[in-house]
Amino acid sequence: MSTAPERLLLRLEWKVVRRLDGRLQGAHRTAHRGSGIDFTGLRAYGDGDDARHIDWNVTARLDAPHLRVFTEDRELTVWLVLDRSASMAAGRPGRGKHDVLAELALVLARLFGRGGNRVGALLFDTGTPRVVPPGTSRRHALRIGAELERTSRARGTTTTDLAEMLDAAGRLARRRALVVVLSDFIGDGDWERSLQRLARRHEVVALRIVDTADDVLPEAGLIVVEDAETGEQLVVDSADPLLRVRLRAAVDARDARIETGTRRAGVPVHRVDTDRDLAEALVEVVARTGNRS
């Protein structure tokens, strides 16, 4: 009998991966691909070549300038940093933020893995982070899916320390890598400095997963509002104009902080709404990332 991660991955392979495969492979360019360069041979020096690559011993022996030729190791290590905190449970059943995060993680693991890159995952909730070491196979993507399912069942109620999540990623990714942060960026901690430290060593891309419930209070009279991170409950009048103005101001302030913090770190942040088509959202992410290159 197939497991839930197997059924989800199979559905995503048919509905998303097949649409993206070939469109995204090689589309993500980075100045830090791979872990090194390999010497492949020599060739005669030509106009416009970098003189720093001249092999002076061969040049002296042949009495003509020759260059050492290298090829870059194209294998890329990718770390998926997955926010599994309580606020990620927001959204309608079956299409909440944690559902979209799981789909994104599986699609990215499958796409990068099919390209020969190694993909690892850090799943961060309110307890000890769970780590899936880098791998490439379809079975490896399913392992990430199984950990996602496990953390979904074990999610806590403490406010997320975003700074610790990013610092944990920095401690984990020792060699230069592509780090993809999937989070709603709702939480505590001086995460801006942590993001800057992470971006100094790695290429970092942020996928901010957003649901309407994060931004809009429905007009439904007296309602019970619960902080998804702390569990604190409060009865409010959703039609109160002053309350709605204050909520709008708080949402705008949060968005501005995310925009400012990621811009200072030089990290592109891409908004992925829970009601968006996943393939279209990822194509847009790659297009925007390519335009920055």
Side-chain angles (χ1 to χ4, degrees):
M1 181 179 296
S2 63
T3 64
E6 286 175 323
R7 292 192 296 271
L8 175 59
L9 181 55
L10 183 61
R11 177 172 64 82
L12 291 172
E13 284 175 330
W14 277 98
K15 298 185 69 173
V16 180
V17 174
R18 291 182 62 188
R19 290 168 59 190
L20 295 177
D21 205 11
R23 298 186 64 180
L24 302 189
Q25 290 297 338
H28 184 84
R29 300 195 305 274
T30 168
H32 307 297
R33 286 294 299 268
S35 57
I37 54 178
D38 297 321
F39 173 69
T40 56
L42 297 163
R43 66 171 175 82
Y45 179 84
D47 290 341
D49 286 335
D50 190 340
R52 292 175 298 179
H53 294 161
I54 291 177
D55 187 316
W56 294 106
N57 290 329
V58 174
T59 295
R61 189 165 62 249
L62 300 179
D63 197 26
H66 278 69
L67 294 177
R68 294 172 63 87
V69 179
F70 299 88
T71 58
E72 187 179 6
D73 176 7
R74 301 303 293 174
E75 180 185 276
L76 175 68
T77 298
V78 182
W79 283 102
L80 305 177
V81 181
L82 309 175
D83 181 357
R84 303 299 286 163
S85 62
S87 67
M88 292 295 294
R92 69 181 187 273
R95 198 60 185 173
K97 290 187 289 185
H98 67 94
D99 299 303
V100 173
L101 178 143
E103 292 183 3
L104 281 168
L106 283 175
V107 167
L108 292 173
R110 195 73 181 104
L111 284 170
F112 279 116
R114 283 159 70 102
N117 303 301
R118 301 169 67 246
V119 183
L122 168 69
L123 297 92
F124 193 91
D125 50 16
T126 56
T128 303
R130 297 178 185 267
V131 177
V132 180
T136 59
S137 66
R138 185 179 190 275
R139 180 176 295 179
H140 183 73
L142 286 172
R143 182 179 174 187
I144 294 175
E147 288 296 331
L148 283 163
E149 187 179 30
R150 188 173 295 115
T151 54
S152 179
R153 293 193 300 264
R155 189 178 292 111
T157 58
T158 306
T159 303
T160 309
D161 189 335
L162 293 172
E164 175 56 27
M165 180 178 76
L166 297 170
D167 287 340
R171 292 190 296 268
L172 185 64
R174 296 181 180 179
R175 302 179 69 177
R176 191 177 291 279
L178 170 63
V179 180
V180 184
V181 181
L182 288 80
S183 173
D184 57 7
F185 284 87
I186 296 176
D188 292 335
D190 185 11
W191 60 265
E192 294 96 332
R193 292 187 180 183
S194 297
L195 186 62
Q196 290 173 16
R197 286 194 296 268
L198 188 64
R200 279 198 292 267
R201 293 187 55 204
H202 307 283
E203 181 169 5
V204 183
V205 175
L207 302 184
R208 182 188 170 204
I209 303 172
V210 180
D211 187 85
T212 305
D214 294 331
D215 302 338
V216 179
L217 184 67
E219 291 194 35
L222 293 177
I223 60 174
V224 177
V225 178
E226 179 176 326
D227 188 320
E229 294 279 313
T230 65
E232 181 181 358
Q233 293 185 337
L234 185 67
V235 178
V236 300
D237 181 0
S238 61
D240 183 348
L242 180 58
L243 173 66
R244 301 185 71 83
V245 168
R246 292 173 60 185
L247 176 63
R248 184 71 259 167
V251 168
D252 290 344
R254 182 197 65 205
D255 290 351
R257 182 188 177 193
I258 294 172
E259 169 99 16
T260 300
T262 53
R263 185 176 65 250
R264 286 175 177 170
V267 172
V269 57
H270 307 278
R271 177 175 172 132
V272 180
D273 291 271
T274 56
D275 58 359
R276 279 289 306 277
D277 177 84
L278 205 60
E280 291 179 1
L282 285 173
V283 168
E284 182 178 298
V285 167
V286 171
R288 288 180 57 196
T289 302
N291 290 336
R292 295 177 71 255
S293 301

